[in-house]
Amino acid sequence: MDPRGGAQHMVVEGRAPDPREARSAAEFIALLRVLKDAAGLTFRELTLRAGAVGDVLPRSTIANMLGRTSVPREELLAAFVRACGCGPTEIEDWLGVRKELAVHGQRAGAAGAGGAADAGEDEAGTEEAGEVPGTPALRAPEPAGGPPVGPPPARRRPRPRTFLVAAVSLLVLAAAAVTVALLVRDERPGRTPVAGPVAGRTVQIRSVHSGLCLSEKRGTDSGRIYQVPCDEETIPAFSLRPLGDGVWRIVTDHPDFGLGCTGIWDGMREAGALMQDQECGKRGSAEAFWIEPQGHPVTGYRIRPAHTHLCVGAKAGSSRRDAEMVQLGCDGVDRGSLFSFDPVASDTAGG
């Protein structure tokens, strides 16, 4: 069987959202998140399915697209919805709504409304019009045509169809609530917004000091954590699990090694000990962290290993890319950094 056809016509689990219900760029992005959840596919599986039909869809690009507030490029959108299992008619619906939003910034949002606008479009996308996303209507996908391409999903968690409509509504409402209640912004000019920890949310962990994000190096198995430009692919995927009493576990999902936990190398207590991604349960309290807001208004969050009460930061306070992350003192010149937990998508690392 032709793998290209199999990837194009995969059955979407549950029911697919109708893009014509989107009234703004923000609602359009929320519906893309719902589509991904309905498909039940990880970033890695979406990348594999896209590649099978000749599309280019890197995992980091998917994450950035689902975390932005403007509509994506046409070719990126087409590759994404095709990888989720949408057929030609559904793809045209998504592209038509995307074109309307790119040209006009907002639309009426009635299902079955006329197609794309005739005017030219801004390929860079249109910023969010400030509306609070509503609950999207759903419709059944087109008939399936063949088996899925690529390896079977290792951690797919399909929801029962009986509860899907309620789950979709809660997803959109929860996203709005998180934006209002948990995204702490410093409104001074030139400042990037700072986001706090949210249980289960996939995030990039960004150093406020350097503007770089935490990541391992591709092709290595040491688990060492470095800081790299946030617009590059960062691995593993990070999410947060509350352990109680203000303590959190930083859960990881590595594309090669699977689920794990961030901690301090071998449970070491000395300043300068490396931060490391490894299998959970190997280091006890050295893989648990206090995450503490700093400043009024909040300018960032300290990450403090629970077994030492020190602070995490780049070695020697460096702001350069590829600097290793270590535990340091919390005061003085050579002190730990402040961080932001920037949401990238609705996906979770689990664990």
Side-chain angles (χ1 to χ4, degrees), residues 38-347:
L41 298 171
T42 65
F43 292 159
R44 186 183 185 190
E45 289 161 352
L46 288 169
T47 297
L48 290 173
R49 291 181 183 279
V53 297
D55 290 330
V56 178
L57 192 64
R59 294 168 65 243
S60 58
T61 301
I62 301 172
N64 288 334
M65 177 185 71
L66 296 178
R68 65 187 298 171
T69 56
S70 58
V71 294
R73 299 188 312 275
E74 184 175 283
E75 64 272 18
L76 172 58
L77 174 63
F80 176 78
V81 297
R82 186 160 37 239
C84 286
C86 292
T89 301
E90 291 175 299
I91 294 172
E92 286 304 313
D93 286 344
W94 283 98
L95 292 177
V97 173
R98 178 240 171 241
K99 187 171 185 178
E100 286 188 68
L101 291 171
V103 173
H104 302 295
Q106 58 185 3
R107 58 190 304 277
D118 293 329
E121 62 186 66
D122 177 6
E123 285 299 322
T126 302
E127 290 301 316
E128 177 183 354
E131 300 177 33
V132 177
T135 302
L138 303 175
R139 63 173 179 176
E142 295 191 335
V149 172
R155 291 178 294 279
R156 188 178 298 181
R157 299 186 181 97
R159 290 183 289 274
R161 298 188 182 194
T162 306
F163 302 107
L164 183 64
V165 174
V168 167
S169 301
L170 289 174
L171 174 66
V172 177
L173 291 173
V178 166
T179 300
V180 172
L182 295 171
L183 182 62
V184 183
R185 294 181 180 269
D186 183 348
E187 299 296 342
R188 288 175 291 176
R191 296 286 184 176
T192 302
V194 172
V198 179
R201 188 76 177 267
T202 303
V203 296
Q204 281 187 310
I205 304 177
R206 172 173 54 87
S207 167
V208 175
H209 170 58
S210 66
L212 302 174
C213 286
L214 273 56
S215 177
E216 293 184 48
K217 289 186 176 179
R218 172 72 75 172
T220 65
D221 60 3
S222 68
R224 293 184 178 186
I225 305 292
Y226 303 83
Q227 58 181 11
V228 302
C230 297
D231 57 359
E232 295 183 2
E233 180 184 25
T234 55
I235 57 172
F238 293 100
S239 66
L240 298 167
R241 179 197 289 177
L243 300 178
D245 297 325
V247 179
W248 298 77
R249 172 166 287 171
I250 303 177
V251 181
T252 61
D253 190 355
H254 194 285
D256 299 323
F257 305 112
L259 294 176
C261 289
T262 300
I264 301 302
W265 193 289
D266 289 339
M268 296 175 63
R269 305 185 65 85
E270 295 82 7
L274 296 171
M275 198 175 191
Q276 177 197 35
D277 174 30
Q278 194 180 45
E279 180 182 352
C280 296
K282 298 288 188 181
R283 294 154 297 186
S285 60
E287 54 190 41
F289 299 88
W290 279 288
I291 298 177
E292 303 172 341
Q294 301 293 307
H296 300 283
V298 174
T299 57
Y301 292 78
R302 280 178 170 172
I303 301 177
R304 303 183 64 186
H307 72 305
T308 62
H309 297 192
L310 295 175
C311 287
V312 169
K315 183 180 290 186
S318 175
S319 60
R320 299 179 62 180
R321 67 172 295 161
D322 295 332
E324 288 183 299
M325 305 307 295
V326 298
Q327 65 178 1
L328 302 163
C330 297
D331 299 301
V333 176
D334 189 16
R335 62 181 181 273
S337 300
L338 299 183
F339 295 91
S340 177
F341 299 87
D342 298 338
V344 294
S346 59
D347 205 30

